[in-house]
Amino acid sequence: MSSVEEFRTEIRGWLAANLTGDFAGLRGRGGPGREHEAFAERLAWERHMAAEGWTCVGWPVEHGGRGATIEQQVAFHEEYALADAPARVNHIGEQLLGPTLVAFGTPEQQERFLPPIVAVEELWCQGYSEPDAGSDLANVRTRAERDGEEWVVTGQKIWTSLAHDAQWCFVVARTEAGSTRHAGLSYLLVPLGRPGVEIRPIQQLTGTSEFNEVFFDGARTSAAHLVGAPGDGWRIAMATLGFERGVSTLGQQVGFRRELETLIEVARRNGAADDPLIRDRLARAWTGLETIRFNALRMLDGVAAGAPGPEASIGKIFWATWHRELGELAMSVLGAGGMTAPEAPYELDDWQRLFLFSRSDTIYAGSNEIQRNIIAERVLGLPKEIRP
């Protein structure tokens, strides 16, 4: 196993040598609010990464990964972001479902589903939120009933990121009739693009549609596609959310730093930095970003142990709130000019898109309110919130 610096040098060199030719134009493409950009080209890029052994680097070698240490994974994600490489199209499969199956899946499930994720041959989406069960995931109403060797799924999911590009969805559904809250939920792997599944994109404030509604009307999946035991879905779903807040967030923070540094330059050029209030907010943004990084590094102990604990919720609150406030700060730096688009076709610029899309940061992947409840109850041991 190479050292962290050797590993960092290796991935840095590979990115420099490969983000060239047809792939050179992909730098900076994609990402939140821009997932529609060059999707086919980014998919081709990621399959090229797979062919060269640069997908799923933190997975165990026996499952197709490189067995990279936590420190090496941090180096990978940071170097990827520093190279301004395109946003990943396989994030949900690689960072969420894959580690979940490594931890909880059967050997047969691992053999069936992990290789296509490594090769970027099958894309995944996350079927958690519902119209009446967003941040309150325990209120899930989508149900699944056993019918011989299949599960039959009926219900609706919403805010399903990239479902329109995915072939599979991991779904939290209620499999025990009459059950409530966390009990009676199961974790199912459900194929899309088959009878009984309808996907409707949702147009966002940014004008794009990376979120979707997904309707299951008697959709079927094999009984072998149940992860864990029936009724054990809540525990597995929470582990998946923990993996979502793992190592890759260090790369995300490189992007945040790039945004902040660019905004500081804008403030210097247009004179906004001469305003002491703006200057103070920029300084607070810098210190906040440092706090996010140190907290994320501290939380990696949970990742190293196999699955992040509820402490990962602290990191989610930190970065989501910080990024939303950065969007607000950008509008203050730009002033009245940030309210308009200069000419046809009147598309949003990067700062306007940041402001609008970052409003969702404190909502998706568990709202700030729910994260505070998790921290209070599961980290600090405070009494549970009174529920009706």
Side-chain angles (χ1 to χ4, degrees), residues 257-273 278-279 281-283 285-286 326 329 333 351:
R257 187 174 301 277
R258 184 182 293 117
E259 288 175 336
L260 176 58
E261 290 173 349
T262 304
L263 184 60
I264 290 172
E265 288 302 314
V266 171
R268 286 171 174 163
R269 288 198 305 268
N270 71 4
I278 294 291
R279 193 163 59 247
R281 290 172 67 187
L282 289 168
W286 185 88
L326 183 69
L329 177 54
V333 167
W351 298 117

Side-chain angles (χ1 to χ4, degrees), residues 39-310:
F39 183 86
E41 293 82 358
R42 288 161 49 216
L43 178 60
W45 158 253
E46 202 151 335
R47 287 175 174 168
H48 175 67
M49 290 179 62
E52 297 285 317
W54 284 111
T55 56
C56 308
V57 296
W59 290 18
V61 173
E62 62 268 28
H63 293 307
R66 284 182 171 238
T69 65
I70 293 297
E71 293 82 2
Q72 289 173 329
Q73 293 175 59
V74 170
F76 171 85
H77 290 290
E78 289 184 336
E79 290 299 325
Y80 191 89
L82 287 167
D84 205 18
R88 305 288 296 276
V89 302
N90 195 28
H91 171 80
I92 296 175
E94 179 172 328
Q95 300 296 332
L96 279 71
L97 179 68
T100 302
L101 290 182
V102 169
F104 301 103
T106 65
E108 293 76 17
Q109 289 169 343
Q110 293 167 349
E111 182 179 0
R112 164 60 185 87
F113 292 109
L114 295 183
I117 295 175
V118 174
V120 201
E121 293 173 352
E122 292 179 343
L123 302 182
W124 286 81
C125 61
Q126 180 181 48
Y128 279 16
S129 295
E130 299 182 4
D132 294 317
S135 293
D136 187 10
L137 185 59
N139 199 34
V140 160
R141 296 183 181 179
T142 294
R143 66 183 188 278
E145 300 175 350
R146 185 71 181 263
D147 181 19
E149 293 305 307
E150 293 182 314
W151 288 97
V152 182
V153 184
T154 302
Q156 178 188 357
K157 298 295 180 177
I158 197 169
W159 312 121
T160 310
S161 299
L162 307 181
H164 58 294
D165 291 315
Q167 291 80 47
W168 287 84
C169 182
F170 50 95
V171 176
V172 175
R174 197 164 294 282
T175 54
E176 295 180 13
S179 63
T180 60
R181 303 300 300 166
H182 310 87
L185 297 174
S186 296
Y187 193 106
L188 291 163
L189 311 179
V190 181
L192 305 178
R194 294 188 182 181
V197 181
E198 181 183 359
I199 298 172
R200 299 179 190 172
I202 301 171
Q203 187 172 29
Q204 299 149 197
L205 285 173
T206 53
T208 55
S209 300
E210 64 194 64
F211 296 128
N212 300 267
E213 294 177 282
V214 181
F215 297 87
F216 298 102
D217 185 9
R220 290 178 174 266
T221 191
S222 169
H225 294 166
L226 173 74
V227 181
D232 196 28
W234 178 261
R235 180 175 67 96
I236 298 172
M238 291 301 99
T240 301
L241 288 177
F243 289 123
E244 182 178 19
R245 296 165 191 149
V247 179
S248 64
T249 60
L250 273 297
Q252 176 192 53
Q253 290 163 35
V254 172
F256 288 174
R257 187 174 301 277
R258 184 182 293 117
E259 288 175 336
L260 176 58
E261 290 173 349
T262 304
L263 184 60
I264 290 172
E265 288 302 314
V266 171
R268 286 171 174 163
R269 288 198 305 268
N270 71 4
D274 296 333
D275 182 329
L277 295 179
I278 294 291
R279 193 163 59 247
D280 179 70
R281 290 172 67 187
L282 289 168
R284 287 175 179 272
W286 185 88
T287 57
L289 189 57
E290 292 300 303
T291 300
I292 292 171
R293 175 173 172 75
F294 292 140
N295 182 75
L297 291 171
R298 181 167 62 93
M299 290 301 138
L300 291 183
D301 287 343
V303 178

Side-chain angles (χ1 to χ4, degrees), residues 285-355:
W286 185 88
T287 57
L289 189 57
E290 292 300 303
T291 300
I292 292 171
R293 175 173 172 75
F294 292 140
N295 182 75
L297 291 171
R298 181 167 62 93
M299 290 301 138
L300 291 183
D301 287 343
V303 178
E311 296 88 349
S313 294
I314 298 171
K316 171 57 171 64
I317 289 179
F318 272 171
W319 76 252
T321 304
W322 183 92
H323 202 226
R324 184 189 65 190
E325 292 176 351
L326 183 69
E328 295 168 353
L329 177 54
M331 292 298 100
S332 296
V333 167
L334 295 174
M339 305 288 286
T340 61
E343 58 187 18
Y346 306 112
E347 294 182 352
L348 299 174
D349 65 25
D350 289 343
W351 298 117
Q352 292 166 336
R353 186 179 294 109
L354 168 65
F355 170 72

